[in-house]
Amino acid sequence: HVDRVYLGIYEANSTEPLSSLVDAAGYPVANGKASITVVLLKDKMYDLVFWAQNDAQNCYTMQWDGRYVTVDYTGVESQNDARDAFFLVENDFKAGHDETTFYLYRPFAQLNAKTTDLTEIQRNGATLTKSALTVKTYTTLDLFSGNVGGLD
């Protein structure tokens, strides 16, 4: 489960943050929500980058300069929901005095494959035929361009 959210603030279309993090410790997440108060110049355009994860996980590295996150799969077990992470890039955000709600999204999906034994699968009530599946493993999410795997 996600327990901490981080925020990087950029001038519009920039890859260099105005501050590395608004709060380097991040903000606690409770019941899927975090409350962040930031003072920005009214009517100025900003890009906001949110990243949320479980801080006990060490497979993610956020690079605030350049606006990208990398994941290291070494030693990472599958089917572990604690590795869930969420992000949002809000480009061209016009600062005002209003309260704004942002919704973050999962950048990575899990594929759970346990067996190749079709007999066992069919014994459990599923009707399947053999098929092929190709899975690409990406290690970079570019939070400026939106490209996945583009920096490796």
Side-chain angles (χ1 to χ4, degrees), residues 5-9 17-27 49 62 64:
V5 63
Y6 301 89
L7 169 62
I9 299 176
L18 292 173
S19 62
S20 200
L21 293 172
V22 172
D23 182 345
Y27 301 88
V49 175
M62 183 63 174
W64 296 102

Side-chain angles (χ1 to χ4, degrees), residues 107-149:
F108 308 108
Q110 269 184 280
L111 176 64
N112 299 322
K114 181 98 171 157
T115 182
T116 57
D117 184 355
L118 289 180
T119 305
E120 179 65 25
I121 294 171
Q122 290 168 337
R123 191 175 312 139
N124 288 314
T127 305
L128 300 173
T129 58
K130 289 186 179 185
S131 63
L133 175 65
T134 302
V135 177
K136 293 184 178 182
T137 302
Y138 294 106
T139 59
T140 304
L141 173 63
D142 183 337
L143 298 172
F144 184 74
S145 70
N147 293 330
V148 176

Side-chain angles (χ1 to χ4, degrees), residues 13-79:
N13 298 311
S14 174
T15 58
E16 295 181 32
L18 292 173
S19 62
S20 200
L21 293 172
V22 172
D23 182 345
Y27 301 88
V29 175
N31 299 320
K33 295 180 181 182
S35 180
I36 301 171
T37 301
V38 178
V39 177
L40 301 172
L41 296 175
K42 185 176 179 180
D43 296 327
K44 184 171 170 89
M45 302 296 277
Y46 296 93
D47 291 347
L48 309 177
V49 175
F50 296 89
W51 179 260
Q53 70 176 55
N54 182 306
D55 267 352
Q57 299 303 309
N58 60 5
C59 57
Y60 302 114
T61 303
M62 183 63 174
Q63 300 294 327
W64 296 102
D65 290 332
R67 288 173 51 171
Y68 64 94
V69 64
T70 58
V71 60
D72 181 0
Y73 293 105
T74 306
V76 173
E77 64 184 33
S78 64
Q79 300 184 24

